[in-house]
Amino acid sequence: MIIVLRSGSGDAEVEAVCRRITEMGYAPHVIRGEFKTVVAAVGEERGRPDLRLLEAMETVESVMPVQQPFKLASREVRSEPSAVQVNGIAVGGPAVVVMAGPCSVESAPQMREVAEAVKEAGARILRGGAYKPRTSPYAFQGLKEQGLQYLAEARKRTGLPVVTEVLETESAELVARYADVLQVGARNVQNFSLLRRVGEMGKPVLLKRGMATSLQEFLLSAEYILATGNPSVILCERGIRTFETTTRFTLDLNAVPVLKKLSHLPVVVDPSHGTGHWDLVAPMAKAAVACGADGLIIEVHPRPEEALSDGPQSLKPARFAQLMRELGPVALAVGRSL
Amino acid sequence: MIIVLRSGSGDAEVEAVCRRITEMGYAPHVIRGEFKTVVAAVGEERGRPDLRLLEAMETVESVMPVQQPFKLASREVRSEPSAVQVNGIAVGGPAVVVMAGPCSVESAPQMREVAEAVKEAGARILRGGAYKPRTSPYAFQGLKEQGLQYLAEARKRTGLPVVTEVLETESAELVARYADVLQVGARNVQNFSLLRRVGEMGKPVLLKRGMATSLQEFLLSAEYILATGNPSVILCERGIRTFETTTRFTLDLNAVPVLKKLSHLPVVVDPSHGTGHWDLVAPMAKAAVACGADGLIIEVHPRPEEALSDGPQSLKPARFAQLMRELGPVALAVGRSL
Amino acid sequence: MIIVLRSGSGDAEVEAVCRRITEMGYAPHVIRGEFKTVVAAVGEERGRPDLRLLEAMETVESVMPVQQPFKLASREVRSEPSAVQVNGIAVGGPAVVVMAGPCSVESAPQMREVAEAVKEAGARILRGGAYKPRTSPYAFQGLKEQGLQYLAEARKRTGLPVVTEVLETESAELVARYADVLQVGARNVQNFSLLRRVGEMGKPVLLKRGMATSLQEFLLSAEYILATGNPSVILCERGIRTFETTTRFTLDLNAVPVLKKLSHLPVVVDPSHGTGHWDLVAPMAKAAVACGADGLIIEVHPRPEEALSDGPQSLKPARFAQLMRELGPVALAVGRSL
Amino acid sequence: MIIVLRSGSGDAEVEAVCRRITEMGYAPHVIRGEFKTVVAAVGEERGRPDLRLLEAMETVESVMPVQQPFKLASREVRSEPSAVQVNGIAVGGPAVVVMAGPCSVESAPQMREVAEAVKEAGARILRGGAYKPRTSPYAFQGLKEQGLQYLAEARKRTGLPVVTEVLETESAELVARYADVLQVGARNVQNFSLLRRVGEMGKPVLLKRGMATSLQEFLLSAEYILATGNPSVILCERGIRTFETTTRFTLDLNAVPVLKKLSHLPVVVDPSHGTGHWDLVAPMAKAAVACGADGLIIEVHPRPEEALSDGPQSLKPARFAQLMRELGPVALAVGRSL
């Protein structure tokens, strides 16, 4: 940490800051500039008192971190990219893995229809929400366990592993009995109890970035899961909230190369939520693959205008199949397969 | 809802949209403009199929809501402001209610010292966190039940009712046994299971706005609590995330008059989190009262530079006492008392 | 426009709003819903009084636009994409056009070196700033006319047409004498006098989106140029300002397909400013091409660590050449050439 | 500046960075931590090569500024607040100065009516736009010189000095002949040629913050004006662009105490643009005064629903008069007068 002192700080004040740094278990190094004095505090920071606390001292103008606060998620701990295995499918390996399916599980025939269509088109993992986080209490909240059963049936029929959201600690075990990958949604990215519980299930976790989560915070949320001893975390960029209103969110594709630089974890992109409109999904799916995403998660519904949630951003099966055909060459162009 | 059709939509397409609107249980009204045709769909929307789904139709360019999606929180249902009673203290009444205390409960003596100091200075409710949501898994996570006990002791000694955060559904009942007001934190504003569980406890709830929560979404989160039959919700503005980095968050005081226009619920402001720096707390506390806030929630710590969390934004007791002296005239100037 | 009246508005109030709409030259249509009454005002809006003014009436809750406010830039006026010709190079045609060069023109040898390198690598247009908009008055402000001369020499030597920024109305003519494409920078996107003056020069204009410019405002700024009779506008996405700080800006690639849906104008992307780091330029350049950009504008400098501006985001010539080799297959994968 | 090296940098790399720092004219100090090595570069930075350039070196992970980049605007140069004199009225003195008038000057009678009304209510300076920056080329662009004449007539009649916007360098002198305070609008906050030209006029300048301008950039824009030798700069917070859409902008009142901490310049607030709705102006005007603003600038129009611009956010004269009566006690409560 670099501790910047207020202009005009005298020797006694510098001394006091250094003393406090020493008490906190770090070694202080003073550098006197023309206008400002700064103190560098040296030592491992994780699991030790937080030096940002020094900002509470009147002498201190600001405290600037040098180390990244996450560890298990970082390239320091593991310099090579890690792949997460999902029933023999490697997310983070040479192939770009496409996960597809409806926003909400609505019925057994709907799941069957979609599962077969997306499998036929080349998707490797089936998505579908049984527990739905909805902004309004008056909206459809998901079929819950029945939805999980429909997912399981669709898996049995198609062989596609299933990713579905865990909405609350209470149902984590139940969901884990049915699902192959446990999703933590954007609104729960800093629901720390949920992160821990989901991590403890021991299954791969798909962690979505929140709509106002910085990449550093995102990796700290991943760290919560990794700290349970579960190494299988897949990061998912799904759009952040900005001033722009023609799209539902602003898909932050910069995040893909940044996350891959800071972390060894695989990164997938959700162009459905990241745009909010079905006709923007295909171009942004291609962009995601082009900038290095390890996978995509895409909403597909046979009759989007009757979907119980997120219809406007869902692709019809024929459009999804066309997108899959178009994605192949893009993946090849960046040295991947589909 | 207003459904805007794409330019060049013909009669058959208008017809198809109207038919779908009718199927969904609404009455369609077509208005043909020079460039665009729009269809107004008339009917109560809450608890009925979501007309925004029509955006999934290729003919439809956009769907624009006319009604507010929340009901129990709205002025339509209750045109007068409602006050929430906390052990005989009315939040939303003529007096501005100040809640104060440390970010984290750290020890019995700390709580005792702070509780007496803030009571002496004029605070009416004691705050303190026993369960702490922390960005990093390596940071102090709170004293949990022991912290609740220290809060209860401080209440017994001072008579101040206690507000503290509920972090997860599992501990909601335990917290409710100790606390007078249950806080839902910014990171949990769309943790819908938690909103429901906290609502069911039947005690007043202090609901913090999330860092990227629109005011409409915020009121929908309040609606989740109100829908459990618990009418005692206090809204809390605590800063939103923007591009500005000199402050930890951007305190959105516009939210105070907007929320009071849209809703009957009382609104309090947290200038500690909303700025992140102790020396900005006093001016923003005054601003909050001047624009109509019903209360404030302020972090106070006897030794901020040793606090286990949020030291940089905590006031020392003497500064808090001075702020309270300065706030009185501001409250009077806008027709309130302190 | 849709005018939403406040709940409880009576017949007299609806009448008053309709009267005002008629006075403003539009035809009112009243739709009474269960909770709200709305009035649709029908008629061409461009060049007529702005109906949003009705929000000033106490009866009116909000006014929602239906038409897009831009016309010449829209697909309504021209349904096919338009290409901008730059000395025989079509921006918006089948080939993706890469523009490259240093942030600032620094010397004749620097320009010569860069121009030859980027031409060799396959760039079709040379970029370089002679007039530099700098956040600080103490920073290098550009070589001005001398810089333009160096650009002209580099063009003569390589045959590459030149794009350079016009910073102020006074120097527009001078710049237009030297440049083939006139750039309007992000900070001037709503400098309306400059937009008009640059448009009047009759040369192609590269218009950069501002860091907080909505896509609708962006197209209205293009409209200022088009309204001078100059049809040759190239739109450029270069990153918007958000809360994320690991990158200099958040490159909004959603903007590419959205702009191409709303407008017939060609769209290019600036991954150098859109990320701020040289090692993120290549992945984001590929992503831009994959989602449909008609071109790229990329900063290249032989010795970035000595550049007078934007060194951290500049590619060295060898890295640029490698990127060009990698971009070709991506362009092919989406049916374009390079 | 603090230069953070990439993990794993060896002695040769540290050496290379230090050499480059020395070449740039600064003194390097190396601090080796457990995980990271940082180099502090000591020396005056303003007017010298920008150390952030070192980010272009592959060895360098990031560069963190310690000094503020502005000087004349800073408290280092002048520790006491400075007041700007406008025809004998001190902006930044003990009294809160209210500037009021229509968004656009529309006619002589309109200006006369408003000027008399706002003077009567207690405003000290008259505002009104003759040159209007409009998002759409089809909107009313201002009466230009005729508007300036109407302003001058209104000044003559009421004795109120006049503040009006300078939109372009060409008309700066003309505007300066008529106006007492020259306004630079939000869209021109980084139009550096305009900042210089307006500064050279030698009259007080009201500089509005842009909608995505950080406070540091804002003070650097002020520095452009101060660097012309003109010390009379008034800073104006007028709302920033965020994700929230119930208000036109998010008024960032945190900016008031932050600017007053970083700079000696006076700070005023524009609650009309900062909210966009007339019924939010009064509460936010009071909040601005409560947190320390030195003045307010408020839009007043006799018939807002007929205004040629910004009607929805304009107060009618009677409401303005009521606000002025309510503001007095708030000013007194924070030790100011009105």
Side-chain angles (χ1 to χ4, degrees), chain A residues 134 138 169-170 223-224, chain B residues 134 138 169-170 193 223-224:
Chain A
R134 302 304 299 276
Y138 307 121
T169 47
E170 288 90 334
E223 192 87 0
Y224 265 94
Chain B
R134 302 305 297 276
Y138 307 120
T169 48
E170 289 89 334
S193 327
E223 191 88 1
Y224 265 93

Side-chain angles (χ1 to χ4, degrees), chain A residues 247 249-251 274-275 280 284, chain C residues 215 252-259:
Chain A
T247 45
F249 293 100
T250 296
L251 189 66
T275 61
L280 303 173
M284 301 318 290
Chain C
L215 294 178
D252 178 13
L253 289 183
N254 278 353
V256 177
V258 171
L259 287 171

Side-chain angles (χ1 to χ4, degrees), chain A residues 156-233:
Chain A
K156 202 169 164 194
R157 185 180 281 263
T158 59
L160 296 181
V162 155
V163 54
T164 196
E165 180 163 352
V166 181
L167 203 57
E168 57 214 354
T169 47
E170 288 90 334
S171 45
E173 277 188 38
L174 181 65
V175 177
R177 276 208 293 280
Y178 288 93
D180 302 289
V181 182
L182 304 177
Q183 177 180 314
V184 175
R187 286 162 186 77
N188 278 322
V189 69
Q190 295 196 314
N191 180 342
F192 304 113
S193 328
L194 185 64
L195 294 175
R196 273 197 219 92
R197 182 69 56 93
V198 164
E200 289 161 4
M201 296 297 110
K203 293 210 163 177
V205 178
L206 179 83
L207 177 64
K208 291 196 150 189
R209 182 184 185 186
M211 57 184 88
T213 308
S214 73
L215 294 177
Q216 191 181 82
E217 290 169 344
F218 188 25
L219 288 169
L220 279 165
S221 288
E223 192 87 0
Y224 265 94
I225 299 169
L226 297 169
T228 65
N230 183 338
S232 300
V233 177

Side-chain angles (χ1 to χ4, degrees), chain D:
Chain D
M1 288 280 176
I2 301 296
I3 293 95
V4 183
L5 305 194
R6 283 188 198 278
S7 303
S9 298
D11 285 351
E13 286 156 317
V14 176
E15 189 63 21
V17 170
C18 290
R19 201 164 43 239
R20 189 81 194 99
I21 289 172
T22 309
E23 283 166 18
M24 291 171 84
Y26 303 86
H29 295 251
V30 178
I31 303 125
R32 289 176 204 272
E34 208 158 330
F35 294 95
K36 297 277 185 191
T37 297
V38 308
V39 186
V42 172
E44 161 66 285
E45 292 164 11
R46 286 164 293 218
R48 305 264 288 283
D50 188 347
L51 286 157
R52 280 174 299 178
L53 202 47
L54 294 169
E55 268 189 20
M57 299 181 79
E58 288 186 37
T59 325
V60 174
E61 184 174 290
S62 64
V63 175
M64 304 188 303
V66 167
Q67 284 178 40
Q68 290 290 8
F70 46 85
K71 185 170 182 171
L72 303 172
S74 79
R75 288 269 181 177
E76 287 170 35
V77 157
R78 189 186 155 91
S79 62
E80 289 306 295
S82 56
V84 170
Q85 297 295 330
V86 179
N87 297 11
I89 298 161
V91 180
V96 173
V97 175
V98 178
M99 316 178 191
C103 179
S104 294
V105 178
E106 296 170 6
S107 70
Q110 174 233 26
M111 273 318 301
R112 214 176 299 138
E113 184 178 356
V114 176
E116 288 176 352
V118 302
K119 185 189 181 180
E120 170 79 18
R124 309 286 302 279
I125 298 180
L126 181 64
R127 67 149 286 156
Y131 294 79
K132 298 301 304 170
R134 302 304 298 277
T135 305
S136 166
Y138 307 120
F140 173 65
Q141 309 271 329
L143 293 183
K144 306 205 166 66
E145 187 166 4
Q146 191 172 51
L148 296 173
Q149 286 163 352
Y150 296 158
L151 280 169
E153 285 169 32
R155 172 177 51 198
K156 202 169 163 192
R157 187 180 277 265
T158 58
L160 295 181
V162 155
V163 55
T164 196
E165 180 163 351
V166 181
L167 202 56
E168 57 216 353
T169 48
E170 289 90 334
S171 46
E173 277 188 37
L174 182 67
V175 177
R177 277 209 293 281
Y178 287 95
D180 302 288
V181 181
L182 303 177
Q183 178 180 315
V184 175
R187 285 162 187 78
N188 279 320
V189 69
Q190 295 197 314
N191 180 341
F192 305 114
S193 329
L194 185 65
L195 293 176
R196 276 199 216 90
R197 182 70 56 92
V198 164
E200 290 161 4
M201 296 298 110
K203 293 207 162 177
V205 178
L206 180 82
L207 177 64
K208 290 195 151 189
R209 182 185 186 186
M211 58 186 85
T213 308
S214 73
L215 294 177
Q216 191 182 82
E217 290 169 343
F218 189 24
L219 288 169
L220 279 165
S221 288
E223 192 87 0
Y224 265 93
I225 300 169
L226 296 170
T228 67
N230 183 338
S232 300
V233 177
I234 303 165
L235 303 169
C236 180
E237 160 62 31
R238 48 74 75 201
I240 58 174
R241 189 158 266 183
T242 71
F243 63 83
E244 179 57 47
T245 57
T246 57
T247 46
R248 189 173 170 196
F249 293 101
T250 296
L251 189 66
D252 177 12
L253 289 182
N254 279 354
V256 176
V258 171
L259 287 171
K260 296 191 84 68
K261 185 163 73 169
L262 295 175
S263 174
H264 54 89
L265 297 172
V267 180
V268 305
V269 170
D270 176 348
S272 305
H273 286 87
T275 61
H277 295 284
W278 61 267
D279 57 355
L280 303 174
V281 170
M284 299 319 290
K286 292 176 201 170
V289 170
C291 68
D294 297 303
L296 296 168
I297 180 161
I298 294 177
E299 292 188 347
V300 178
H301 196 287
R303 283 162 301 281
E305 68 281 8
E306 297 176 13
L308 294 180
S309 61
D310 282 353
Q313 70 198 32
S314 298
L315 294 185
K316 291 182 187 169
R319 280 220 170 74
F320 176 69
Q322 189 191 335
L323 168 58
M324 290 299 285
R325 285 190 298 273
E326 292 171 5
L327 270 178
V330 178
L332 279 177
V334 293
R336 308 286 285 259
S337 61
L338 198 64

